Amino acid sequence: MALSVCATTLAGGCADGGDGSGPGPVPRSVRAQDDLLKSAESALVRRCLTERRLPARSDGGDGQGRGVAPQREFPYGIDDPGWAARHGFGIPVERGSREQGVGASKEQQRLSDALFGTGRRELSTRTVTGLVVQANSDGCLAAAQRVLYGDLDRWFRTEVTINNLAAAAHRRVIEDPVYRSALARWSHCVAPVQQADSPGALRSAWQRRAHGLAPREATALQQRYAVAEARCVRRTDLAGTGAQLEKRYAAELRAEYADVIAEHRQLRDHGLRYAVRHGL
C-alpha cells in the first residue's frame, strides 16, 4: 500500500511512509531524483568498500581538465561552425599511447574486483539493439543496487534496456532512407576537404592523417575538418533531419517498451524512498 501511494504521488514528493514523519520529500525534478540516486548509490558503495577494508576513493575532479572541450553532444554531426573552429571534434590531441601503456596496479585491481565483482557473471540481459550485457552480482556496486532498488535482477535488466533505448533510436535513424539521403548530400559537400561517407568516417580520416604530426598541426587539421563537417551539416540539415527522425523513433520505442519503462520507474521509486528514508 505504501509503495502504491508513493508511486502515485511521486510527482508531488513523498515523505518516508507517506505520513509526514520522514526526513523529507522525494525531489520533484527528474534531474534532482537522478542526483539523489547517484549520491545514495555512492554512499552505499563506500560503505561496502569500507566493510571490505578497501579505500573508498573518489577522483575529486570536476571533469573539466585543461584543454578539454566543453561537453556537447552532436549525434548527427557538429552543427555549430563556431564551436568546431574552437574545439575541432572535441578530441584532445596530446593524449596518446604514453598515457595508456601503464597497467593497473595490484591495489587498483583489488579495488576494481571489489567494486564490480569477480568470477562468473550472474547477471545477463540482451539489449534492444541485440547486444548481450553481463555483470557480476558479488561486487559492491551490485550490493548497493540490491539494497537501493530491492531487486538486483530486475534493476539490471530494466536499467540496461532503458539505457539502450537512445542507441536503438539512433540506429533506426541512420538506417532511415530520409537520413541516408541527407547523409549522401553531406558527403558530397565535405568531399573537397576530405572524402568521407559519414561524420564518423571524417574523424577516422583525421586520426589517420594526424598520426605522427606535431600537436599544433594535428589540432589545426582537426579544426579544419570539423569546420567543414559543421558547415556541411548546416547546408544539408543533416543534424535537423536526424533529430526529427529520432524524436519519432524514440516515441515508437517508448511505446514498444512501455511495460519495461513502468517497471524501471517503480524500481526508481523504491530507490528514491529508500534514499530519503535513510538520509543518503
Side-chain angles (χ1 to χ4, degrees):
M1 182 181 298
L3 186 147
S4 176
V5 170
C6 281
T8 56
T9 60
L10 183 59
C14 175
D16 179 31
D19 59 3
S21 61
V26 169
R28 292 175 179 270
S29 73
V30 173
R31 182 172 181 177
Q33 291 172 4
D34 289 343
D35 290 343
L36 176 57
L37 290 174
K38 289 177 184 177
S39 175
E41 190 173 286
S42 296
L44 291 170
V45 166
R46 288 194 300 270
R47 185 183 303 169
C48 174
L49 291 174
T50 299
E51 291 172 352
R52 298 188 186 192
R53 301 182 182 278
L54 284 164
R57 295 181 301 181
S58 127
D59 61 15
D62 59 4
Q64 298 293 332
R66 290 178 178 271
V68 177
Q71 292 297 312
R72 285 189 63 181
E73 293 185 4
F74 300 103
Y76 302 105
I78 299 170
D79 60 355
D80 185 340
W83 191 94
R86 293 189 298 274
H87 305 295
F89 298 126
I91 303 173
V93 169
E94 295 181 322
R95 292 183 180 177
S97 59
R98 292 176 299 176
E99 296 181 354
Q100 299 177 15
V102 180
S105 67
K106 291 183 179 180
E107 183 65 23
Q108 289 172 323
Q109 188 61 53
R110 284 183 64 225
L111 181 59
S112 177
D113 289 346
L115 276 172
F116 303 113
T118 58
R120 187 176 68 86
R121 294 179 176 178
E122 302 87 354
L123 303 171
S124 179
T125 191
R126 188 177 296 275
T127 70
V128 181
T129 53
L131 298 175
V132 175
V133 179
Q134 297 178 314
N136 294 102
S137 63
D138 61 335
C140 282
L141 179 59
Q145 292 173 342
R146 185 182 291 109
V147 169
L148 191 59
Y149 301 109
D151 188 321
L152 179 61
D153 290 336
R154 289 175 64 207
W155 174 253
F156 179 78
R157 175 176 53 80
T158 59
E159 176 77 350
V160 168
T161 299
I162 296 301
N163 287 342
N164 196 246
L165 290 180
H170 182 81
R171 173 177 289 189
R172 293 186 183 186
V173 169
I174 62 177
E175 294 174 350
D176 189 287
V178 174
Y179 180 78
R180 297 195 67 80
S181 176
L183 188 61
R185 295 194 300 273
W186 175 89
S187 179
H188 180 75
C189 174
V190 83
V193 175
Q194 173 63 47
Q195 291 282 348
D197 58 9
S198 70
L202 185 61
R203 286 157 176 73
S204 296
W206 166 73
Q207 289 173 330
R208 288 193 300 271
R209 290 195 58 185
H211 183 70
L213 294 179
R216 181 174 296 181
E217 294 173 327
T219 296
L221 184 64
Q222 181 181 167
Q223 291 167 334
R224 178 171 172 243
Y225 278 15
V227 168
E229 172 183 315
R231 287 175 176 168
C232 289
V233 166
R234 284 281 186 90
R235 289 173 188 170
T236 61
D237 194 29
L238 182 66
T241 300
Q244 185 175 11
L245 289 169
E246 184 175 296
K247 185 181 296 185
R248 188 184 88 200
Y249 285 124
E252 290 180 0
L253 284 161
R254 286 195 299 271
E256 289 176 30
Y257 290 88
D259 291 345
V260 178
I261 293 170
E263 185 178 6
H264 184 260
R265 185 179 297 115
Q266 182 186 55
L267 293 166
R268 275 177 57 95
D269 292 350
H270 182 285
L272 290 165
R273 291 194 306 278
Y274 185 95
V276 169
R277 186 163 59 246
H278 291 84
L280 297 176

